[in-house]
């Protein structure tokens, strides 16, 4: 989690700043309330708040997980950089699941706007957009708050498209069955070593935009070696939402997930 950007708390600065240590000052938080606090010399206080926030998040995530389990809904949390192809993948995936009569829903988080929800709604699936505003990740309570409205009764599969960010979303359990990482070929083969947390936590890494491999001189073996260094057991899939390559394996993985939960 990114303690420097303040993403760990409800009480959210939303900006970076330098204040004189020991002098109290006030901010208006994302919830509209005013908070007065004091910056200290050491960062130990921030770490403590972060730990408490994650503990509170885990409790809500556990309740979400139970909600999904009672309804037999499999939940996948998609995490990657902005622009790596999450929404494009989901549009094509939802079309395919529609053909196979598998009811799926999506909750998508972005800082602002409803662009992605509009793209995905065209598939006929239930899609709910959350605007996270000052926050760089979804947390379990944001998911809890929309559960009753976002998920039609017969839903079997829920995709959560997290806010585009390789770092902070990883720390927040949402109650999902698995985290799916996407790494698009333009991002470079070394990203799993530079941002290991996501690749260590993922059950599957989708190597997206594989249609661009040639033009980018993408080195698949080097990339997968890098991922294996942080997660020896992870599954890989090479996939393109433009050409449809890799969709057979991806859909097979999803159908299998529905069986085993
Ligand atoms: N060449 C290529 N471009 C893609 C592919 N998937 C997505 N894109 C493009 O990448 C950009 C970002 O995609 P988007 O799905 O919005 O990514 P997100 O921000 O992770 O949701 C868009 O311009 C897409 O058209 C792909 O498989 N191949
Ligand atoms: Mg998107």
């Amino acid at each position: 989690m990114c303690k420097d950007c303040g993403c760990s708390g409800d009480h959210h600065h939303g900006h970076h700043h330098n204040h004189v240590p020991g002098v109290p000052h006030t901010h208006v938080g994302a919830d509209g309330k005013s908070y007065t606090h004091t910056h200290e010399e050491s960062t130990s206080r921030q770490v403590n708040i972060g730990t408490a926030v994650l503990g509170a998040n885990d409790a809500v995530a556990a309740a979400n997980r139970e909600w999904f389990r009672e309804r037999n809904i499999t939940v996948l949390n998609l995490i990657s950089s902005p622009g790596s192809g999450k929404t494009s993948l989901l549009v094509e995936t939802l079309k395919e699941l529609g053909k196979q009569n598998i009811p799926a829903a999506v909750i998508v988080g972005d800082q602002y706007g409803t662009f992605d929800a509009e793209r995905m709604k065209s598939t006929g699936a239930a899609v709910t957009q959350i605007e996270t505003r000052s926050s760089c990740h979804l947390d379990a309570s944001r998911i809890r708050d929309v559960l009753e409205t976002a998920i039609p009764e017969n839903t079997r599969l829920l995709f959560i498209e997290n806010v585009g960010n390789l770092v902070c979303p990883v720390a927040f359990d949402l109650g999902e069955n698995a985290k799916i990482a996407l790494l698009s070929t333009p991002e470079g083969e070394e990203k799993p070593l530079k941002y290991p947390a996501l690749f260590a936590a993922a059950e599957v890494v989708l190597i997206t935009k594989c249609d661009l491999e040639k033009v980018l001189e993408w080195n698949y073996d080097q990339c997968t070696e890098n991922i294996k260094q942080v997660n020896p057991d992870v599954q890989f899939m090479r996939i393109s939402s433009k050409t449809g390559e890799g969709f057979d394996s991806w859909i097979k993985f999803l159908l299998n997930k529905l069986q085993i939960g």
Side-chain angles (χ1 to χ4, degrees):
M1 181 168 55
C2 167
K3 68 183 167 62
D4 293 335
C5 79
C7 76
S8 60
D10 298 331
H11 146 201
H12 201 299
H13 291 170
H15 61 275
H16 295 264
H17 55 208
N18 293 310
H19 289 294
V20 181
V23 178
H25 59 278
T26 302
H27 291 286
V28 178
D31 54 5
K33 294 180 193 151
S34 292
Y35 294 90
T36 300
H37 68 174
T38 307
H39 287 273
E40 288 158 21
E41 298 274 12
S42 115
T43 57
S44 61
R45 182 172 158 275
Q46 290 175 293
V47 172
N48 292 342
I49 291 171
T51 309
V53 167
L54 284 180
N57 184 74
D58 282 350
V60 180
N64 289 351
R65 189 166 278 114
E66 183 58 18
W67 195 96
F68 296 130
R69 201 192 56 76
E70 282 167 1
R71 290 161 183 78
N72 194 25
I73 300 170
T74 300
V75 184
L76 300 176
N77 183 2
L78 272 59
I79 305 178
S80 68
S81 305
S84 55
K86 294 178 291 300
T87 307
S88 306
L89 174 87
L90 286 175
V91 168
E92 299 309 316
T93 304
L94 293 167
K95 283 187 202 161
E96 189 54 39
L97 293 174
K99 284 186 208 156
Q100 303 202 24
N101 291 318
I102 297 166
V106 180
I107 298 173
V108 50
D110 279 299
Q111 266 197 305
Y112 295 99
T114 56
F115 305 98
D116 282 2
E118 278 151 29
R119 284 164 66 192
M120 290 186 275
K121 273 181 187 161
S122 65
T123 64
V127 183
T128 301
Q129 179 93 41
I130 296 173
E131 286 185 290
T132 60
R133 303 285 169 135
S134 57
S135 190
C136 51
H137 57 269
L138 287 170
D139 64 27
S141 60
R142 300 241 197 210
I143 299 297
R144 176 200 56 202
D145 291 349
V146 300
L147 282 180
E148 296 292 345
T149 51
I151 301 172
E153 211 168 301
N154 58 349
T155 301
R156 296 289 322 282
L157 192 51
L158 171 68
F159 296 99
I160 300 174
E161 178 181 337
N162 218 312
V163 180
N165 179 332
L166 281 177
V167 183
C168 304
V170 187
F172 289 82
D173 183 9
L174 305 178
E176 70 270 5
N177 295 78
K179 290 180 174 59
I180 309 289
L182 285 75
L183 177 66
S184 65
T185 52
E187 291 171 74
E189 297 86 347
E190 79 293 353
K191 290 304 176 295
L193 299 178
K194 292 166 83 169
Y195 303 97
L198 170 61
F199 299 93
E203 183 170 319
V204 176
V205 180
L206 299 176
I207 300 185
T208 60
K209 309 193 189 182
C210 71
D211 55 293
L212 300 177
E213 280 185 18
K214 258 213 176 89
V215 67
L216 295 168
E217 299 178 19
W218 170 258
N219 188 333
Y220 179 82
D221 292 337
Q222 190 192 323
C223 180
T224 53
E225 277 312 310
N226 290 345
I227 297 168
K228 279 188 218 157
Q229 277 189 45
V230 292
N231 188 347
D233 302 323
V234 76
Q235 278 186 66
F236 306 105
M237 286 177 213
R238 221 177 190 142
I239 197 159
S240 167
S241 301
K242 295 275 179 208
T243 65
E245 188 179 339
F247 268 79
D248 286 353
S249 312
W250 168 238
I251 298 292
K252 214 162 150 193
F253 166 80
L254 295 176
L255 297 180
N256 190 44
K257 262 287 178 223
L258 287 179
Q259 303 299 321
I260 60 175

